[in-house]
Amino acid sequence: MEILLTPQILGMLIDQGYTYALARSELYSDDGFETIRLSPMKEKPQLPELPNGYQTFYKLTHEPLQMLSSGENTRLLVDMEPQIDLFSTDCDDRYFRYSEAFFEQVLESIQDYAVYTTTRNGEINSWNSGAEHLFNYAKYEILGLGCSILFTDEDKSNKLPQFLLETALQNGKVITEEFHCGKDGMLFWAKSIVFPLFDEQNRHQGFTHIIHNLEEKKKSQNNAIEAMSLASNIIETSKEPVVILNQNLSIKKANKSFYELFQLNEEESSEKNFYTLTPGLDQKHLEHLFNEILPQQHDCKNFELRYMSPSGKSRILVIHAKRAISALDNCIVDILSIEDITDERTLQQEKDDFISIATHELKTPITVIKASAQVLQRVNIEGASPMVKKYLQKIEEQAEKLIQLAALLLDVSHIRSDKLALNFEEFDLSDLVAETVEDFRMLQKKHDIKIEELCACTVNADKVKITQVLTNLLSNAIKYSPETNSIIVRVFPDPISQTVTVSVQDFGIGIPFEEQNKIFKRFSRTNLVGEKNISGSGLGLYISAEIVRKHKGQIWFESEQNKGAKFFFSIPAK
Ligand code: ADP
């Protein structure tokens, strides 16, 4: 087995009594190196009787090695015959001091770092696999070359490699960051540490170089900087006030709208605590956001907050908040986007007030119109033509529609002002469903309403309001299945959730998938009903959902366009 002669191997051979070495030299092998092969001997060889192929012999001391190995393009190999036991058990400590195998194992295990050693002059004489990987030079390509090959041309011309070696020798080590140059001119940013190496007699023998590639770190730092600058621009251009707070609630970044909203001066605000900067905010409520919601959920939407501006105006703010980790410095930050909804709220309130007043005012005249039409129909108007009778009938029908619309609008305004009152009583839901279905059967003959399942189940609920929900579902089932006539009703309890569910199924036009998420919203109607000219207000399901919610129940549906719809509502059973 042949191994490269290093100062460690040499020291070890001398320690074991190998003080001579036969030498044969191969001039300029394929790779351009002169290889000198040494065969260690304990006895001094006799010059005239050298074994075949050996041209000379050396006395092994530290000095000649230093001289030879520092020669350019010379490689010294030792023929380790089996009897040469470098690792004999009685020299355990020397194993650790000298064993190249041991050091190699250690160095090879450091994959993420390039570790190489150089002579005093900077010629590379060991190269670990981390170095192979990082610089892309194989061991055989690089051993014996000056380490300046690993530096950029600019650093070479500035004599940086020599400077690093000299500084390391002077100061015990040198740590720098610079571009390094791998095979084929590949450049990468790396951190390098250079230590001087001394032998047992404390003579300077060379240097250890440890290189850590920072390219990935630099790239991710650059990405983080880029992302930060992008985020900064987004925040800056956002119309809404946005602020990023550090963990101590000081401002890390805020946009112009934020400073405008709270009438703050940017320079004076830095470093100051958010609470101190915004005394007009409901601080107790804000503490709930920072101390309870964000630590637990990391995310919070529509957090409503009252704000008294410095000029004494009361505002309503909505905060969307997110707790995140800043990519740049790994610190926790809270991002708040603030919306001032005062004007929107006022407008909404005015609209709700208008609807409420208008419906109140309309209710009485409409009722009077309807009653008058009924009276006129009943009294026998002399000579009244069939046309008069027909129009009186129309007046009554349309007045009834207006009364129903006014009632819906009143319900909406009660819901909006949280004044929808319920009168709870105990009753059997199956009886109520049977009665309501019977009323519907009497009122219209076109649709065949079947009750397929009817389980007796007592509930504690508002009978009038639950009838309203059921009536809405049944009239929708009739209205939205103009070309089919089957409607199926079921009442079934769920013992596990202790609820009772009512379902109303039709086989009509159905609800298109893309519109399904909106139909419980106020004034919401599908495009399909518009196309088919089926009239309605878009309020029934909104009110039904609110009534069911107030009963701590649930309302939902299953539907496919042109295949019909099946609406369910469930409320707690008694
Ligand atoms: P309205 O029926 O007065 O428009 P609703 O709030 O009761 O108001 O219903 C909202 C919308 O939901 C309806 O306009 C219709 O588009 C859709 N919808 C409700 N029930 C059904 C049903 N059974 N089949 C198909 N579409 C329905």
Short mmCIF file of all heavy atoms in Angstrom, two decimals, residues 472 476-477 479-480 506 509-511 519 524-526 529 536-542 565 567, ligand 1:
data_model
loop_
_atom_site.label_atom_id
_atom_site.label_comp_id
_atom_site.label_asym_id
_atom_site.label_seq_id
_atom_site.Cartn_x
_atom_site.Cartn_y
_atom_site.Cartn_z
N ASN A 472 -91.20 29.45 4.38
CA ASN A 472 -90.26 29.96 3.38
C ASN A 472 -89.69 28.79 2.55
O ASN A 472 -89.64 28.87 1.32
CB ASN A 472 -89.14 30.73 4.09
CG ASN A 472 -88.11 31.27 3.12
OD1 ASN A 472 -86.93 31.08 3.29
ND2 ASN A 472 -88.56 31.92 2.05
N ASN A 476 -90.54 28.28 -1.39
CA ASN A 476 -89.43 28.26 -2.35
C ASN A 476 -89.46 26.97 -3.17
O ASN A 476 -89.26 27.00 -4.40
CB ASN A 476 -88.09 28.33 -1.62
CG ASN A 476 -87.71 29.76 -1.24
OD1 ASN A 476 -88.39 30.70 -1.63
ND2 ASN A 476 -86.66 29.92 -0.47
N ALA A 477 -89.72 25.84 -2.49
CA ALA A 477 -89.75 24.54 -3.19
C ALA A 477 -90.81 24.58 -4.30
O ALA A 477 -90.58 24.09 -5.42
CB ALA A 477 -90.04 23.42 -2.21
N LYS A 479 -92.12 27.45 -5.67
CA LYS A 479 -91.79 28.52 -6.62
C LYS A 479 -90.68 28.10 -7.59
O LYS A 479 -90.73 28.40 -8.78
CB LYS A 479 -91.33 29.74 -5.80
CG LYS A 479 -91.36 31.04 -6.53
CD LYS A 479 -91.36 32.23 -5.57
CE LYS A 479 -90.21 32.27 -4.60
NZ LYS A 479 -90.01 33.58 -3.99
N TYR A 480 -89.68 27.38 -7.07
CA TYR A 480 -88.51 27.08 -7.91
C TYR A 480 -88.56 25.69 -8.55
O TYR A 480 -87.55 25.18 -9.02
CB TYR A 480 -87.22 27.28 -7.11
CG TYR A 480 -87.09 28.72 -6.65
CD1 TYR A 480 -87.07 29.06 -5.30
CD2 TYR A 480 -87.02 29.75 -7.60
CE1 TYR A 480 -86.99 30.38 -4.90
CE2 TYR A 480 -86.94 31.08 -7.19
CZ TYR A 480 -86.93 31.39 -5.85
OH TYR A 480 -86.86 32.71 -5.47
N ASP A 506 -87.20 19.46 -3.35
CA ASP A 506 -87.94 19.61 -4.61
C ASP A 506 -87.08 19.11 -5.75
O ASP A 506 -85.92 18.77 -5.56
CB ASP A 506 -88.35 21.09 -4.81
CG ASP A 506 -87.15 21.98 -5.02
OD1 ASP A 506 -86.46 21.84 -6.05
OD2 ASP A 506 -86.87 22.84 -4.13
N ILE A 509 -85.42 23.74 -10.44
CA ILE A 509 -84.30 24.32 -11.21
C ILE A 509 -82.95 24.19 -10.48
O ILE A 509 -81.90 24.24 -11.10
CB ILE A 509 -84.55 25.82 -11.53
CG1 ILE A 509 -84.72 26.64 -10.25
CG2 ILE A 509 -85.76 25.98 -12.44
CD1 ILE A 509 -84.77 28.14 -10.50
N GLY A 510 -82.98 24.02 -9.16
CA GLY A 510 -81.73 23.85 -8.41
C GLY A 510 -80.92 25.13 -8.31
O GLY A 510 -81.31 26.19 -8.83
N ILE A 511 -79.78 25.01 -7.63
CA ILE A 511 -78.91 26.19 -7.40
C ILE A 511 -77.54 25.91 -8.02
O ILE A 511 -76.89 24.94 -7.62
CB ILE A 511 -78.78 26.46 -5.89
CG1 ILE A 511 -80.18 26.73 -5.31
CG2 ILE A 511 -77.86 27.63 -5.61
CD1 ILE A 511 -80.27 26.60 -3.82
N ILE A 519 -76.32 32.18 -1.10
CA ILE A 519 -77.78 32.32 -1.06
C ILE A 519 -78.37 32.62 0.32
O ILE A 519 -79.53 32.96 0.42
CB ILE A 519 -78.52 31.15 -1.73
CG1 ILE A 519 -78.33 29.89 -0.93
CG2 ILE A 519 -78.17 30.96 -3.18
CD1 ILE A 519 -79.49 28.97 -1.21
N SER A 524 -79.88 38.17 -1.79
CA SER A 524 -79.13 37.38 -2.75
C SER A 524 -80.05 36.40 -3.49
O SER A 524 -80.81 35.64 -2.89
CB SER A 524 -78.04 36.64 -1.98
OG SER A 524 -77.49 35.69 -2.77
N ARG A 525 -79.97 36.44 -4.81
CA ARG A 525 -80.80 35.57 -5.64
C ARG A 525 -79.90 35.00 -6.75
O ARG A 525 -78.97 35.67 -7.18
CB ARG A 525 -81.96 36.35 -6.28
CG ARG A 525 -82.75 37.19 -5.29
CD ARG A 525 -84.11 37.58 -5.84
NE ARG A 525 -85.00 36.45 -5.92
CZ ARG A 525 -85.83 36.23 -6.92
NH1 ARG A 525 -85.84 37.03 -7.96
NH2 ARG A 525 -86.61 35.18 -6.92
N THR A 526 -80.17 33.79 -7.21
CA THR A 526 -79.32 33.21 -8.26
C THR A 526 -79.69 33.82 -9.62
O THR A 526 -80.81 34.29 -9.82
CB THR A 526 -79.48 31.68 -8.33
OG1 THR A 526 -80.83 31.39 -8.63
CG2 THR A 526 -79.10 31.02 -7.04
N VAL A 529 -82.88 32.33 -11.42
CA VAL A 529 -84.25 32.77 -11.15
C VAL A 529 -84.55 34.07 -11.91
O VAL A 529 -85.69 34.32 -12.30
CB VAL A 529 -84.58 32.90 -9.65
CG1 VAL A 529 -84.41 31.60 -8.93
CG2 VAL A 529 -83.75 33.99 -8.97
N GLY A 536 -89.14 37.46 -6.41
CA GLY A 536 -88.77 37.20 -5.01
C GLY A 536 -87.94 38.36 -4.50
O GLY A 536 -87.53 39.24 -5.26
N SER A 537 -87.68 38.35 -3.18
CA SER A 537 -86.95 39.48 -2.59
C SER A 537 -85.52 39.12 -2.22
O SER A 537 -84.70 40.00 -1.96
CB SER A 537 -87.69 39.92 -1.33
OG SER A 537 -87.65 38.86 -0.39
N GLY A 538 -85.21 37.84 -2.13
CA GLY A 538 -83.86 37.43 -1.69
C GLY A 538 -83.68 37.65 -0.20
O GLY A 538 -82.54 37.78 0.28
N LEU A 539 -84.79 37.67 0.54
CA LEU A 539 -84.67 37.92 1.99
C LEU A 539 -85.07 36.71 2.84
O LEU A 539 -84.64 36.57 3.98
CB LEU A 539 -85.57 39.09 2.38
CG LEU A 539 -85.10 40.47 1.89
CD1 LEU A 539 -86.15 41.53 2.20
CD2 LEU A 539 -83.78 40.83 2.53
N GLY A 540 -85.89 35.82 2.25
CA GLY A 540 -86.46 34.71 3.03
C GLY A 540 -85.39 33.84 3.68
O GLY A 540 -85.46 33.57 4.89
N LEU A 541 -84.39 33.41 2.92
CA LEU A 541 -83.37 32.51 3.48
C LEU A 541 -82.48 33.23 4.48
O LEU A 541 -82.04 32.64 5.46
CB LEU A 541 -82.51 31.89 2.36
CG LEU A 541 -83.21 30.81 1.52
CD1 LEU A 541 -82.27 30.29 0.43
CD2 LEU A 541 -83.68 29.65 2.40
N TYR A 542 -82.23 34.52 4.22
CA TYR A 542 -81.42 35.31 5.16
C TYR A 542 -82.12 35.35 6.52
O TYR A 542 -81.51 35.09 7.57
CB TYR A 542 -81.23 36.72 4.59
CG TYR A 542 -80.68 37.74 5.57
CD1 TYR A 542 -79.35 37.73 5.94
CD2 TYR A 542 -81.52 38.71 6.13
CE1 TYR A 542 -78.85 38.66 6.84
CE2 TYR A 542 -81.04 39.64 7.04
CZ TYR A 542 -79.70 39.62 7.39
OH TYR A 542 -79.21 40.54 8.29
N ALA A 565 -83.45 20.92 -5.25
CA ALA A 565 -82.71 21.34 -4.05
C ALA A 565 -83.35 20.66 -2.84
O ALA A 565 -84.55 20.37 -2.83
CB ALA A 565 -82.80 22.86 -3.90
N PHE A 567 -83.41 21.38 1.18
CA PHE A 567 -83.04 22.27 2.28
C PHE A 567 -83.28 21.56 3.61
O PHE A 567 -84.27 20.83 3.76
CB PHE A 567 -83.85 23.57 2.22
CG PHE A 567 -83.25 24.57 1.27
CD1 PHE A 567 -83.47 24.46 -0.09
CD2 PHE A 567 -82.44 25.60 1.73
CE1 PHE A 567 -82.89 25.37 -0.97
CE2 PHE A 567 -81.86 26.50 0.86
CZ PHE A 567 -82.08 26.38 -0.50
P1 ADP B 1 -86.57 34.70 -2.73
O1 ADP B 1 -87.06 33.33 -2.96
O2 ADP B 1 -87.63 35.65 -2.30
O3 ADP B 1 -85.74 35.23 -3.84
P2 ADP B 1 -84.96 33.49 -0.62
O4 ADP B 1 -84.05 34.15 0.36
O5 ADP B 1 -86.00 32.64 -0.06
O6 ADP B 1 -85.54 34.67 -1.50
O7 ADP B 1 -84.05 32.66 -1.60
C1 ADP B 1 -82.87 33.23 -2.10
C2 ADP B 1 -82.52 32.64 -3.43
O8 ADP B 1 -82.11 31.28 -3.26
C3 ADP B 1 -83.65 32.54 -4.39
O9 ADP B 1 -83.84 33.77 -5.09
C4 ADP B 1 -83.21 31.44 -5.33
O10 ADP B 1 -82.29 31.95 -6.26
C5 ADP B 1 -82.49 30.51 -4.40
N1 ADP B 1 -83.37 29.42 -3.91
C6 ADP B 1 -83.95 29.32 -2.71
N2 ADP B 1 -84.63 28.16 -2.62
C7 ADP B 1 -84.46 27.52 -3.79
C8 ADP B 1 -84.92 26.26 -4.32
N3 ADP B 1 -85.69 25.45 -3.62
N4 ADP B 1 -84.52 25.93 -5.57
C9 ADP B 1 -83.73 26.74 -6.29
N5 ADP B 1 -83.27 27.93 -5.85
C10 ADP B 1 -83.64 28.32 -4.62
#
